[in-house]
């Protein structure tokens, strides 16, 4: 892709997990199709060799983006003070794992349990969550890592479902360093306008992920991904981008179940990754900066052509 965009691809597009025997080939697919970064699935810092995994990713010419989560007994939104402390500690360890892997970005769902809630969180739960995540973001910043939190749809959380809620969460956190992660798939469920949601989050937007309505190829679904890219660029977004797609056959069964991926949405990861690049490029080329780049290239080509003709006349 000719567009100068900082684009990441989720590892689960290619392989279901980070098993080191299959990882080099999977990373090769992501790197060879033009991505700069790889988004890793959630990892337990106690169960991985961070140095070895980081070296494997670096050898492919990629930079890792990690995903932080919370779980039972370690949850910054809990009513229990000790559980909140354990949740914050788990985020701290994930930040340090990100540094060990050689990454400078940590995404994820750091604000509470993943899954459908039975009732909305209370104000106190939101406040505890935001303050804990804010502390983790400040610690990440000290280590040179940007921390974002993903805005999910109502079936995966009740803590943060919209761009405006995300802005409120950042402000409640008290952190100057916490950033927002928007995903077009989730925005398609929750927002009245994807473009307006991106404009709302823009002051704090650190990662814009592109996912289609059916979780498969970006070019096939109800979301107009090229137009979303075009409009986001025209509105001034200059941060990092991600590509995400899930197919049941390409995931561990428990992950597919948790995400509700019941179908085989694609069966050729290399083709999907390459076509996603082209889909993003279509949006970039239609944007104002894409048009400007094309004009500069034409001008440069004309100058080179004029120089060639002048050289030929001299000869």
């Amino acid at each position: 892709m000719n567009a100068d965009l900082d684009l990441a691809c989720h590892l689960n597009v290619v392989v279901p997990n980070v098993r080191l025997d299959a990882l080099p080939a999977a990373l090769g697919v992501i790197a060879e199709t033009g991505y700069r970064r790889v988004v890793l699935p959630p990892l337990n810092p106690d169960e991985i060799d961070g140095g070895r995994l980081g070296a494997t990713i670096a050898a492919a010419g990629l930079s890792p983006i990690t995903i932080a989560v919370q779980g039972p007994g370690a949850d910054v939104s809990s009513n229990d003070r000790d559980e909140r402390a354990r949740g914050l500690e788990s985020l701290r360890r994930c930040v340090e794992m990100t540094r060990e892997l050689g990454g400078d970005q940590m995404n994820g769902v750091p604000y509470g349990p993943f899954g459908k809630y039975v009732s909305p969180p209370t104000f106190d739960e939101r406040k505890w969550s935001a303050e804990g995540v804010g502390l983790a973001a400040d610690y990440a910043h000290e280590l040179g890592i940007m921390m974002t939190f993903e805005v999910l749809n109502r079936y995966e959380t009740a803590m943060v479902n919209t761009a405006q809620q995300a802005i409120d969460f950042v402000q409640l956190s008290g952190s100057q360093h916490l950033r927002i992660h928007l995903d077009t798939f989730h925005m398609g469920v929750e927002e009245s306008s994807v473009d307006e949601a991106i404009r709302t989050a823009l002051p704090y937007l650190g990662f814009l992920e592109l996912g289609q309505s059916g979780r498969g190829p970006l070019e096939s679904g109800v979301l107009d991904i090229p137009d979303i890219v075009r409009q986001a660029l025209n509105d001034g977004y200059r941060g990092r981008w991600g590509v995400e797609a899930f197919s049941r056959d390409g995931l561990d069964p428990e992950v597919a179940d948790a995400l509700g991926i019941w179908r085989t949405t694609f069966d050729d990861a290399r083709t999907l990754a390459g076509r996603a690049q082209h889909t993003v490029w279509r949006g970039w080329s239609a944007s104002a900066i894409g048009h400007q780049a094309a004009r500069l290239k034409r001008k440069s080509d004309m100058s080179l052509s004029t120089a060639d003709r002048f050289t030929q006349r001299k000869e």
Side-chain angles (χ1 to χ4, degrees):
M1 184 172 69
N2 295 324
D4 186 22
L5 297 180
D6 193 341
L7 192 58
C9 182
H10 201 294
L11 183 67
N12 287 153
V13 169
V14 187
V15 288
N17 51 54
V18 295
R19 281 179 45 188
L20 287 171
D21 57 342
L23 194 58
L27 295 172
V29 169
I30 292 172
E32 290 161 12
T33 45
Y35 296 87
R36 298 183 188 178
R37 302 175 191 274
V38 57
V39 179
L40 303 173
L43 302 173
N44 185 335
D46 295 331
E47 296 178 355
I48 66 162
D49 183 337
R52 185 180 177 191
L53 177 56
T56 301
I57 295 170
L62 297 168
S63 178
I65 297 175
T66 58
I67 289 180
V69 296
Q70 299 283 268
D75 172 13
V76 291
S77 70
S78 172
N79 289 305
D80 183 271
R81 183 189 301 268
D82 292 337
E83 185 170 351
R84 294 200 301 272
R86 290 190 294 270
L88 182 57
E89 173 63 13
S90 75
L91 296 180
R92 183 190 66 79
R93 290 167 61 212
C94 194
V95 168
E96 293 170 351
M97 177 188 69
T98 303
R99 180 177 63 172
E100 185 180 8
L101 291 172
D104 64 358
Q105 181 175 340
M106 184 174 82
N107 294 348
V109 187
Y111 45 71
F114 174 88
K116 188 175 181 180
Y117 284 43
V118 297
S119 62
T122 66
F123 175 79
D124 282 342
E125 288 168 339
R126 290 185 192 274
K127 184 171 184 293
W128 290 326
S129 174
E131 289 174 347
V133 171
L135 289 173
D138 290 344
Y139 180 59
H141 178 75
E142 292 175 5
L143 300 186
I145 295 167
M146 176 178 68
M147 179 176 175
T148 77
F149 63 97
E150 185 171 8
V151 182
L152 302 178
N153 69 71
R154 71 193 74 179
Y155 305 108
E156 297 181 5
T157 188
M159 190 65 72
V160 188
N161 298 134
T162 68
Q164 184 56 58
Q165 287 181 323
I167 292 287
D168 296 342
F169 189 87
V170 171
Q171 293 172 348
L172 193 60
S173 78
S175 172
Q176 299 297 312
H177 308 298
L178 183 60
R179 294 294 177 263
I180 295 169
H181 167 181
L182 290 182
D183 183 320
T184 56
F185 167 76
H186 298 292
M187 285 189 281
V189 176
E190 297 293 344
E191 304 283 3
S192 58
S193 166
V194 170
D195 294 340
E196 185 58 38
I198 293 171
R199 283 191 287 271
T200 296
L202 201 56
Y204 300 102
L205 188 57
F207 196 64
L208 182 50
E209 196 160 44
L210 305 170
Q212 191 49 269
S213 57
R215 297 290 222 178
L218 292 192
E219 71 273 15
S220 177
V222 302
L223 295 168
D224 188 341
I225 298 297
D227 194 62
I228 291 170
V229 172
R230 178 195 63 80
Q231 189 61 56
L233 291 170
N234 285 349
D235 286 336
Y237 181 65
R238 297 295 183 268
R240 294 172 179 173
W241 302 75
V243 166
E244 185 175 77
F246 298 122
S247 183
R248 186 164 186 88
D249 290 349
L251 296 172
D252 288 331
E254 61 272 18
V255 175
D257 291 347
L259 294 175
I261 309 299
W262 312 123
R263 299 180 291 113
T264 297
T265 57
F266 61 92
D267 55 16
D268 186 332
R270 184 182 293 272
T271 297
L272 182 139
R275 286 181 177 173
Q277 285 269 353
H278 179 69
T279 300
V280 176
W281 178 81
R282 285 173 52 206
W284 176 87
S285 63
S287 71
I289 61 172
H291 287 160
Q292 182 181 23
R295 286 195 299 270
L296 291 173
K297 186 178 186 304
R298 286 195 299 268
K299 185 176 180 180
S300 175
D301 290 345
M302 289 175 62
S303 297
L304 289 172
S305 177
T306 300
D308 288 342
R309 291 196 300 270
F310 178 75
T311 301
Q312 289 170 0
R313 284 198 300 270
K314 287 183 64 179
E315 293 174 349

